[in-house]
Amino acid sequence: MSEDPLPGYTGVVRKVLSKAGVSVGDKVRIVTSDGRVFVGVLMPRYSIKPKPIIVLKLDNGYNVGIRIDEGTVVELVKTREAILREAAAGAPAVIPLLEEKPAKKPQERIMVVGTGGTIASKIEYETGAVKPALTAEDLVEAVPEIAMIARIEADVLMNILSENMKPKYWVKIVDAIARHIDEGYDGIIVAHGTDTMTYTASAIAFAFRGLPVPIAFVGSQRSSDRPSSDAAFNLIAATLYAAKSDYAEVAIVMHGETGDTYALANRAVKTRKMHTSRRDAFQPINDRPLMRIYPFEKRLEPLQPPLHRRGEQELRVENGFEEKVALVKYYPGMDGEIIDFLVDRGYKGIILEGTGLGHVGEWLVEPIRRAVDNGVVVVMTSQTLFGRINMNVYNTGRKLLAAGVIPGDDMLPEVAFVKLSWILAHTSSLDEAKRLMRTNLAGEINPRLTVDLYPRWLQ
Amino acid sequence: MIERKANPKSINPRELGLKVGLEIHQQLNTKHKLFCNCPTILAREGEVEDTFTRQLRPTRSEFGEVDVAALFEWRKGRMYYYHAPRSHSCLVEADEEPPHEINREAIVIGLAVAKALGSRPVDEIYVMRKIVIDGSNTTGFQRTAIIALGGAIKLPSGKKVGIETIAVEEDAARKMKDEGKYTHYNIDRLGVPLIEISTSPDIETPEEAYEAALTIGQLLRLTGRVKRGIGTIRQDLNVSIRGGVKTEIKGVQRLDLLPKIVLYEALRQHRLLQIRDELRRRGLTEDELRNAARIVDVTSVFKNTQSKIIKRVISRGGKVLAVKLRKFHGLLGVEVQPGRRFGTELADYARFWGGVGGLFHSDELPGYGITSEELREVYKLTGAIEGEDAVVIVADKELNARKALEAVVERAVQALYGVPKETRAAQDDGTTRYMRPQPGAARMYPETDVPPVEVTKDMLAEAERIKPMHPLEKIKQLTEKYGLSSDLANQLLRSPYLGLFEELAAKYSDKVPATYIASLLTNILRSLQREGVPTGNLTEEHFEGIINAVANNIISKDAVPDAIKYLAKNPGASIEDAVRDLGLERMSLDEVERLVEEAIEYNIKAVKERGIAALSKVMGYVMPKVRGRIDGKIVAEIAKRKIIEILEERRRGDK
């Protein structure tokens, strides 16, 4: 495969550069039409908008953009190959650092399943592009601490952006994890982009009907190409959870607060990304964290008991997810045709994200009744996220119940969506589907909501 | 053999081939920070703040390189404790939200400065990340962007100094203190826009370095768009001499110290070259030095030592290690700068790389409780020859002591080649100390979260409008508008108080003459500084308080120097405190009249005999009693009037 020597360059710029016979990575000298002279390494241009501008990296490391026209003179000063050769030859001698004594080789075997995201990555110095670390060696090289906790192996299953995740990929991930557990790994880490992490982690939680080892989902809110990245911290915490805890549960392991003090392992099916950018974006809703993890001290502090302990259950997997399930958020004035459309398109399940205790505009009662009559499972969850559905308090709620809507208890809308997708792939009985929706399968329903389970902004 | 003392007077920097480049960093007075909407003013003590702790990890470049200094800070397990005042920082400074687009106002000010310097703007501005892993940036990097290249300044001597680059960048967090493994920072300053002007290494004397810094500072202040006051401008230096190496010196806060730092660095490099020549004369090679430099455990020598430091280390389970430096005898005691010996340089390396407290070397021993018998034992165990080799001893935890001595050996090896490539920190006495190795180009990579900004015609036109005035034009304006002498105007222009002067003159010149305000901010301040008054502590609020008190007749001009001294020594105090504590309230005229009458009474004979010529006697009686609480001019007027009255009375009485 021949790579484009001039990525990102089009039009006049490309013409001028091609004529000069230069490619990205070469050192070039540019004389603009107005007589300005620039010398630097030609960089690729990563910009959505095409402009007649070329990007040079100057000797001092800075990039600058220079406008180009037909009159611009471009000369090759040194080829990329020559630059790299010189850099390798002239590498400065540095004072060698004494390595710390290697610890006793750890026993636990951990498999890191890669699905995407930049939990571990390398920066390409020349372009600034971030490339994912693809092997266990890369991972350990980037975060050497994890090798002191467990024997790390890696399986890069896919490399997709979190927002591009689909239920059919959940199936692949479930298969891979099942295989690795069967191979005898003591814990599984799934590296995943954070945007849809709750969905995937919940899918795994529902698919493993018997789970003998811990599974930690981990990601980063600051990409690993920067010194302040949370990736290493989270990965160490996830390794501790997977290797050292006896909680055979699917957990999301991420920062517990904005600082680098502790991480939290939160039950996947009760956890939600509650912030666009903070490190501690993942918070349990209607639930407490499973445990606090101190990565520097390599210490785990349980905060509530697990559903199952390590080794209690045999491995049992029921893989598969129904794709004809929709998650619909109610808004004032919402048109009933939206429900009708889903029914007519053959959808088998609808999760409604209603208001308050579980309401939608009363004009939707009829379309919903029609959906239920057509065999569609309709479940009510709440936009408030905190608290439980109760459709007995107000009239509209009672009408919706009468129409056949299933109250979703205190389940998160996203989790209810994944749960229904999984249920509908494994039963054709509507009654069974309804029963399972109201059954606590993986800790997604908390039967007791206590006073403390709610954030307050002023203490 | 080399002279032991380093004498700055013994060298002529120009003849040594001195070359200096400056990097001037100046805070811009923009409405918002460079990448968020926080204000650009610092928090006051005790404001509501949140705190959090973080760690920073070095990142790798494609060549597998990491910044050694970065790696080291991380290995040391350093943690950063951030204080985030709510009114002066947000999630962006906390590194919990991506940066917003770059502040256009800052870019326009930068372009205006570029125009005044004859620099050529780039066409598209790219924000870069410069790895800085000392915790002063929560991200672990500083965001910085070149906006223009080239240009020059002209010194008063007529010499031209080239400008290499003009960059706009974010200021770092304010370091508060070190406490165990935590370094505390306040992030209120983080993200305040800075302009960085880097000159070419055209500067050839310490005095030129001073003039160049002054000229650039003056030009920046003339934009009227930069921050004023202590800490808003900082200078870094790149210094080399012929045969030496470009050395970075960071953190020069006081401009008047700059020539001394340059001179001392020239001296240091000169002395290191002399040490190199001496080592070569002694026939030392790198192989010989390295092969002989075996690190030996000499703890047993110090079983019954009188050295308190060593005793304490051993009692805590530490070790005493030593290493031989072949043919270095006498050279560790040689000064490279006044008060800094080559051994001090080795100690800096030991501290940085080994995290140890310090070291002992044979050129200062016996001493520090180490006896000549112990020293002789160490010589024996390390295989060193007395009078020929040097030995270095470190007492600490074994691993640290070993790392420290390895660094000492590496530094000693570099002595064979002259001046090592270092980043050094300026100290208050004009000397510098080793800070870290110079970072490579690998520390710079693109900030992908901030889109590049095209420099448009609109921006350039805006920059043209705020382009700083030429200094001569400004002097003309000051003399015409405020009636300042051209000398006073020139002094103001060179001082950091031009902007403050214009503000105070606009506000108070109907009550306090502008010339007085100008000389307060120049002459008066300078003479107080010469007296040793810590004028650096004075804030703009202090000056305004003083002028305001003069304008409202609360204090007299004669009381101003005392008030300044008081405020400089008590920076937390206000002018009201000064007035109260010093008893500076302006004296009432009645009181003055009474005092004058008393004085005349006391000197009645002289007054009667010599008439108005006795004024000096009367004044001599009154003035010590008013102690600046009223202007002498007023006292003199009253005294004159009273004397005349008495004389006239007498004349009438005589009739």
Side-chain angles (χ1 to χ4, degrees), chain B residues 184-375:
Chain B
H184 288 249
Y185 285 100
N186 192 314
I187 61 171
D188 56 356
R189 199 180 67 187
L190 181 58
V192 170
L194 293 177
I195 186 167
E196 185 207 65
I197 299 176
S198 307
T199 76
S200 312
D202 296 342
I203 296 163
E204 291 166 306
T205 67
E207 296 70 34
E208 279 178 11
Y210 177 74
E211 284 299 330
L214 201 68
T215 306
I216 292 171
Q218 175 181 302
L219 180 118
L220 288 167
R221 287 191 292 275
L222 281 171
T223 60
R225 303 292 288 269
V226 302
K227 294 268 182 206
R228 309 193 302 240
I230 307 295
T232 64
I233 187 161
R234 293 192 295 276
Q235 290 92 16
D236 291 346
L237 300 168
N238 290 311
V239 183
S240 67
I241 62 169
R242 201 180 308 111
V245 154
K246 191 182 96 177
T247 298
E248 292 181 3
I249 300 174
K250 297 275 177 202
V252 184
Q253 292 257 12
R254 277 171 50 202
L255 196 55
D256 54 351
L257 209 55
L258 203 141
K260 194 174 179 186
I261 291 170
V262 171
L263 178 66
Y264 278 18
E265 178 57 22
L267 178 63
R268 192 184 69 95
Q269 298 198 11
H270 176 62
R271 299 286 285 174
L272 289 177
L273 295 180
Q274 286 184 332
I275 291 174
R276 175 197 66 187
D277 294 343
E278 174 64 19
L279 287 170
R280 288 185 182 171
R281 201 187 57 74
R282 294 179 185 184
L284 181 70
T285 64
E286 179 174 341
D287 281 350
E288 188 184 2
L289 175 58
R290 281 192 188 280
N291 292 338
R294 204 162 41 82
I295 295 169
V296 184
D297 187 338
V298 295
T299 314
S300 60
V301 175
F302 296 94
K303 264 196 307 251
N304 302 310
T305 188
Q306 293 305 303
S307 162
K308 286 192 186 119
I309 300 172
I310 293 181
K311 213 191 271 179
R312 193 169 53 235
V313 168
I314 294 176
S315 75
R316 288 180 185 168
K319 286 270 178 354
V320 188
L321 304 186
V323 75
K324 162 170 81 167
L325 297 180
R326 180 79 186 116
K327 291 182 180 164
F328 266 77
H329 172 74
L331 293 179
L332 272 52
V334 165
E335 278 187 353
V336 292
Q337 287 180 332
R340 280 187 71 85
R341 288 172 293 192
F342 183 65
T344 324
E345 301 274 292
L346 295 183
D348 282 347
Y349 273 69
R351 271 190 281 270
F352 182 85
W353 295 100
V356 300
L359 52 74
F360 303 101
H361 62 77
S362 47
D363 286 353
E364 57 181 6
L365 299 177
Y368 304 101
I370 297 176
T371 63
S372 46
E373 288 73 40
E374 285 168 339
L375 182 61

Side-chain angles (χ1 to χ4, degrees), chain A residues 136-423:
Chain A
E137 288 73 34
D138 285 347
L139 265 181
V140 168
E141 197 180 282
V143 190
E145 294 98 318
I146 57 175
M148 312 254 181
I149 301 166
R151 286 148 68 187
I152 303 292
E153 284 164 72
D155 171 12
V156 177
L157 204 56
M158 54 188 82
N159 186 21
I160 55 169
L161 296 170
S162 180
E163 61 269 29
N164 294 338
M165 187 52 72
K166 290 178 179 175
K168 67 174 183 192
Y169 302 138
W170 299 343
V171 176
K172 282 183 74 175
I173 298 169
V174 168
D175 279 342
I177 294 174
R179 192 174 67 245
H180 294 311
I181 294 175
D182 199 40
E183 285 160 1
Y185 286 90
D186 296 296
I188 305 290
I189 294 173
V190 183
H192 196 287
T194 54
D195 279 5
T196 58
M197 189 185 281
T198 292
Y199 294 87
T200 307
S202 298
I204 307 309
F206 291 120
F208 280 82
R209 293 294 80 222
L211 179 62
V213 300
I215 299 178
F217 270 71
V218 67
S220 68
Q221 286 282 80
R222 294 283 90 72
S223 60
S224 55
D225 57 339
R226 58 179 89 206
S228 64
S229 172
D230 55 336
F233 182 96
N234 293 343
L235 187 58
I236 298 166
T239 307
L240 284 167
Y241 178 79
K244 304 290 182 196
S245 85
D246 69 342
Y247 281 32
E249 265 207 67
V250 184
I252 288 176
V253 183
M254 297 280 288
H255 262 66
E257 55 114 7
T258 181
D260 292 333
T261 51
Y262 62 85
L264 290 176
N266 286 310
R267 181 167 284 148
V269 289
K270 288 308 256 182
T271 304
R272 196 165 191 276
K273 185 177 184 182
M274 294 299 283
H275 199 279
T276 57
S277 56
R278 285 180 62 126
R279 288 166 173 73
D280 54 359
F282 283 85
Q283 297 288 343
I285 309 290
N286 297 327
D287 200 3
R288 281 174 207 91
L290 288 176
M291 61 173 68
R292 208 198 299 262
I293 302 172
Y294 296 91
F296 299 146
E297 302 162 39
K298 299 193 171 38
R299 186 158 66 86
L300 307 172
E301 179 188 297
L303 298 173
Q304 67 156 315
L307 292 177
H308 305 283
R309 301 221 177 246
R310 190 187 279 277
E312 274 176 13
Q313 289 184 316
E314 291 285 318
L315 175 65
R316 188 160 74 83
V317 186
E318 290 180 25
N319 201 355
F321 299 89
E322 172 57 55
E323 294 189 14
K324 286 284 184 193
V325 177
L327 172 56
V328 180
K329 183 164 190 152
Y330 171 73
Y331 51 89
M334 184 173 136
D335 195 329
E337 284 189 12
I338 291 173
I339 307 289
D340 292 342
F341 169 86
L342 292 172
V343 176
D344 297 343
R345 286 297 173 102
Y347 272 74
K348 297 186 172 142
I350 297 173
I351 302 293
L352 286 171
E353 201 178 311
T355 58
L357 287 164
H359 305 123
V360 292
E362 58 185 7
W363 60 88
L364 290 183
V365 173
E366 273 320 304
I368 287 170
R369 195 193 312 279
R370 177 173 168 264
V372 174
D373 290 348
N374 277 278
V376 180
V377 180
V378 182
V379 180
M380 181 62 76
T381 61
S382 180
Q383 296 172 9
T384 66
L385 306 176
F386 287 92
R388 193 186 310 280
I389 293 296
N390 190 323
M391 298 163 77
N392 298 315
V393 180
Y394 294 103
N395 204 26
T396 305
R398 291 190 285 268
K399 281 187 195 164
L400 287 167
L401 278 178
V405 173
I406 303 161
D409 279 285
D410 68 327
M411 277 187 284
L412 286 166
E414 303 83 12
V415 173
F417 162 79
V418 175
K419 185 178 179 182
L420 187 56
S421 303
W422 179 77
I423 290 172

Side-chain angles (χ1 to χ4, degrees), chain A residues 36 38 45 51 53 55 61-62 65 67 97-98 145 222 225-228 258-260 277-279, chain B residues 53-55 57 71-72 95-96 121 123-124 126 128-129 138-139 144 149 399 444-445 449 454-455:
Chain A
R36 293 174 298 163
F38 300 91
R45 191 178 149 79
K51 279 184 194 162
I53 287 180
V55 186
Y62 279 92
R67 210 171 281 124
L97 293 161
L98 204 72
E145 294 98 318
R222 294 283 90 72
D225 57 339
R226 58 179 89 206
S228 64
T258 181
D260 292 333
S277 56
R278 285 180 62 126
R279 288 166 173 73
Chain B
T53 59
R54 295 264 173 79
Q55 207 195 23
R57 297 171 73 94
L71 185 66
F72 205 71
D95 190 42
E96 284 285 44
D123 296 320
E124 197 171 46
Y126 278 80
M128 306 296 289
R129 298 170 172 176
T138 48
T139 49
T144 174
L149 298 160
L399 186 68
M444 193 86 90
Y445 62 108
D449 294 345
E454 194 172 353
V455 176

